[in-house]
Amino acid sequence: MGDLKRLKLIFLKFIYNTSYQICYYVFRPHPKRITFATMRNTQLVDNLKQLYETFEKNGDYELKVFCFHYDRSPKSRLLFFWYSLISVYYIATSHLFIIDDYFFPLYSLKKHRKNIVIQTWHAIGTLKKIGLSLPNAQNSVIKPHTNYDWVVVNTAADRQAYADAFDINRDHVLPLGEPMLDVIAHTQIKLTPKHTKKILYSPTYRQNDSKKVLAAVTALIKAAPELKEDWEIYISIHPYVNMKENLHNLPKNIHLFQDPARVKAMMPTMDAFITDYSSLLLNFSYFERPILLFTPDYQEYVQKQGFYVNYFEYLNAPFFQKAPEMMTFINEKFSQIDLDYVRQLKHKNFPNQDGHNSDRVYQFLTSINRYGEHKI
């Protein structure tokens, strides 16, 4: 890390923490205030949306929403500092501060016990490494993924990985089921025999390497005409990817978008899901339809990011390093795919299929006292 960047982080840490302490002692935490906050979307989606609606329906609370989409563009970088200061105010004045992703300002604070932070995360399962499990993550001036009081995960098998990733006691990692999966549990669309076939492709985000993502997207688009049947192809670009290199003049059957909420909404209508390392494949396993892996940079990704599991062995899904090979597979073998590997993923990652994950999380959170302790 360069000296200039280190000085910048030290400055930000001082400003954020000073602002937080002032807000805490001047405005004090509101015992009924619950803030739902994200820096990955302009509105609440997934876990935060489901939890907000559950709190709104069931209790008498002062609900606040903080949303800022940080996309690493020059404009977003300028606005980030201001919105971070706003978020610090909400942390200082909230009883519960509920987030779903990395939240930079939080990690600068000497947090008080009466401000209780809940990390719900935006993904399920333990595939690619995250948080403090990543190489060199512990070495930053502002240590990431700290100040969490409780972490909500989907299954008991996820607890240790998230405890390590978020530097939190394993007893504070709660396998209550992710609230966003309630939507899936209440949604089941049967595809008619003569429907137009659809593929959803969602490459995972690579920090500071949007070119790698766009190269894979371009390779898939170039190979798509090799498909013999008529397929509609939907390509979801991660919200953090800055689309500097716009893809123009796309074929009519290829649809490109950046909207995490749309991805989840589209899943029930898709015939197949393609990704490299995105945990969205675990969500898609619920529908027991084909999952394919397009992994042209697997060896490099293992070195930079790594996995909690033996990736290909754990998933047991068809995988390809080159897009034309994948198109040939779809042409020749798609209709004969044995979906047992998908059913096994579903069994591992959907222990609760009753549609009441949000209720379980709500019941736990409302039992936390003003010092962050579970009262029951």
Side-chain angles (χ1 to χ4, degrees):
M1 181 185 298
D3 291 340
L4 185 61
K5 183 175 182 180
R6 183 178 293 275
L7 287 173
K8 175 185 173 182
L9 290 175
I10 291 172
F11 171 75
L12 288 175
K13 186 174 183 178
F14 173 78
I15 292 296
Y16 292 153
N17 186 58
T18 301
S19 301
Y20 167 74
Q21 301 300 337
I22 292 171
C23 290
Y24 181 86
Y25 287 109
V26 172
F27 300 107
R28 310 298 298 177
H30 300 201
K32 288 285 188 177
R33 176 172 290 180
I34 301 173
T35 298
F36 299 82
T38 184
M39 283 191 165
R40 70 192 310 265
N41 290 295
T42 56
Q43 60 185 351
L44 298 183
V45 300
D46 298 335
N47 289 325
L48 295 186
K49 181 175 185 291
Q50 296 305 311
L51 269 182
Y52 180 91
E53 292 175 354
T54 303
F55 270 91
E56 190 176 42
K57 177 178 62 177
N58 291 333
D60 179 23
Y61 299 96
E62 180 191 356
L63 303 182
K64 299 292 182 180
V65 173
F66 171 88
C67 297
F68 173 65
H69 179 204
Y70 178 52
D71 61 8
R72 291 174 168 77
S73 66
K75 179 181 178 181
S76 182
R77 290 176 185 273
L78 288 174
L79 291 172
F80 180 79
F81 178 71
W82 171 245
Y83 278 95
S84 292
L85 291 176
I86 295 174
S87 73
V88 164
Y89 165 79
Y90 280 116
I91 297 171
T93 59
S94 297
H95 168 54
L96 299 179
F97 189 79
I98 307 174
I99 58 178
D100 68 343
D101 202 349
Y102 181 85
F103 206 91
F104 178 75
L106 173 66
Y107 313 133
S108 303
L109 312 181
K110 292 183 179 179
K111 189 177 71 67
H112 296 280
R113 289 178 63 196
K114 290 184 180 179
N115 301 132
I116 301 150
V117 176
I118 315 297
Q119 172 64 267
T120 64
W121 205 236
H122 56 278
I124 67 171
T126 49
L127 295 178
K128 61 186 178 185
K129 289 185 177 180
I130 59 173
L132 296 170
S133 299
L134 294 173
N136 303 316
Q138 304 266 2
N139 300 331
S140 177
V141 173
I142 299 178
K143 184 178 176 180
H145 296 295
T146 53
N147 279 331
Y148 303 155
D149 294 286
W150 299 92
V151 175
V152 176
V153 297
N154 195 43
T155 72
D158 298 330
R159 295 180 71 189
Q160 190 58 55
Y162 280 80
D164 295 339
F166 297 151
D167 194 22
I168 191 170
N169 189 302
R170 192 173 184 271
D171 292 339
H172 281 233
V173 181
L174 311 170
L176 302 173
E178 293 285 11
M180 64 181 172
L181 299 183
D182 290 345
V183 175
I184 294 180
H186 292 131
T187 304
Q188 186 63 277
I189 296 177
K190 293 184 178 180
L191 304 178
T192 59
K194 295 184 179 181
H195 72 282
T196 301
K197 291 185 177 180
K198 299 177 181 178
I199 291 175
L200 177 58
Y201 171 46
S202 182
T204 196
Y205 170 67
R206 292 157 176 77
Q207 189 172 11
N208 301 321
D209 200 354
S210 295
K211 289 184 178 179
K212 189 76 69 176
V213 175
L214 297 177
V217 169
T218 300
L220 186 138
I221 291 172
K222 286 183 177 179
E226 297 180 24
L227 292 173
K228 293 179 180 178
E229 296 187 63
D230 293 331
W231 286 87
E232 293 293 315
I233 301 176
Y234 296 84
I235 302 176
S236 168
I237 305 296
H238 194 282
Y240 287 171
V241 173
N242 188 359
M243 293 291 288
K244 294 178 182 178
E245 304 173 24
N246 293 322
L247 296 166
H248 298 292
N249 303 318
L250 295 176
K252 291 182 179 179
N253 70 319
I254 294 180
H255 317 276
L256 195 70
F257 64 94
Q258 280 184 294
D259 184 349
R262 185 180 176 189
V263 176
K264 306 267 180 35
M266 292 174 68
M267 280 188 171
T269 67
M270 295 291 122
D271 293 83
F273 182 74
I274 299 173
T275 188
D276 40 22
Y277 321 110
S278 174
S279 64
L280 285 174
L281 68 89
L282 302 179
N283 297 57
F284 190 76
S285 71
Y286 183 86
F287 303 105
E288 299 186 12
R289 297 173 194 156
I291 296 169
L292 307 179
L293 304 177
F294 176 40
T295 57
D297 65 336
Y298 175 74
Q299 294 299 333
E300 180 182 347
Y301 194 83
V302 169
Q303 295 298 320
K304 289 186 176 181
Q305 181 100 13
F307 298 96
Y308 292 109
V309 296
N310 184 320
Y311 191 65
F312 293 133
E313 183 178 302
Y314 177 84
L315 298 177
N316 199 28
F319 62 93
F320 310 89
Q321 266 67 55
K322 296 181 180 179
E325 294 174 355
M326 183 167 59
M327 300 307 164
T328 299
F329 177 88
I330 294 173
N331 286 335
E332 298 177 358
K333 300 181 180 180
F334 184 83
S335 60
Q336 288 87 40
I337 294 177
D338 182 350
L339 294 176
D340 187 55
Y341 73 99
V342 181
R343 298 186 189 99
Q344 290 183 27
L345 289 175
K346 178 179 179 179
H347 177 73
K348 292 175 183 176
N349 292 280
F350 287 85
N352 302 314
Q353 298 182 33
D354 56 7
H356 292 293
N357 292 344
S358 297
D359 295 330
R360 277 186 287 274
V361 176
Y362 168 81
Q363 289 166 8
F364 182 89
L365 296 184
T366 53
S367 72
I368 295 175
N369 67 21
R370 61 198 295 249
Y371 295 106
E373 300 163 339
H374 188 211
K375 293 185 294 186
I376 298 175

